Structures are given as structure tokens and as C-alpha cells.
Amino acid sequence: MSKVLSFIMKEKLKNQKLLVLGVVFTILFNFPILSIVNHDTKINGIPTLYFYFFSIWVLFIIIIYWSVRNKEQEINKDE
């Protein structure tokens, strides 16, 4: 019974973390933040806004992958 409760609690925690990550990255892709990086400057020939979009997007994917992967490894370790 405790394994089931432990699994449910871990799943709830994972869902809460993913929700918080989604909210944080939604804020990062909204107007006030985008207006900060929207300049005519370039980073290695890439416009700053494009660089910001793709770097935040890649960071978002890496953090979600790492978060989900760690939780799956912990669940498999408990079994």
C-alpha cells in the first residue's frame, strides 16, 4: 500500500513541477520580456530575438527531459 501512495505522491510532485515550468516559460515568452531582447543587435550573426527564442526553447526541452527522466529512474529503482 505504501508503494502505491509513494508512486501517487511522486506523480503529483512531477505534475506540479511541470506545471510551474510551463508557467515560468510562458512568462519568458510574453511581451514584457520579449521587448527587453528585441534589439537590432546580433549574436554571432543571429538576431538577438531569434537567439533568445531558440535558447529558451532548448533550455525548456532539456529541463523537462531531465525532470521526467529523473523521476522515471527513481520509480524504476523503487520497484
Side-chain angles (χ1 to χ4, degrees), residues 6-64:
S6 174
F7 175 75
I8 291 172
M9 293 300 288
K10 287 179 183 179
E11 283 296 312
K12 284 185 179 182
L13 183 62
K14 180 175 76 172
N15 290 341
Q16 289 173 351
K17 284 182 180 180
L18 292 175
L19 180 66
V20 168
L21 280 173
V23 169
V24 167
F25 283 102
T26 300
I27 291 170
L28 289 174
F29 282 124
N30 271 326
F31 173 70
I33 305 297
L34 290 179
S35 65
I36 294 171
V37 296
N38 192 13
H39 297 288
D40 290 335
T41 59
K42 294 183 179 187
I43 299 173
N44 292 331
I46 302 169
T48 311
L49 185 61
Y50 293 165
F51 183 79
Y52 175 78
F53 266 125
F54 288 116
S55 60
I56 295 297
W57 178 63
V58 168
L59 182 66
F60 182 56
I61 291 172
I62 290 170
I63 290 174
I64 287 177

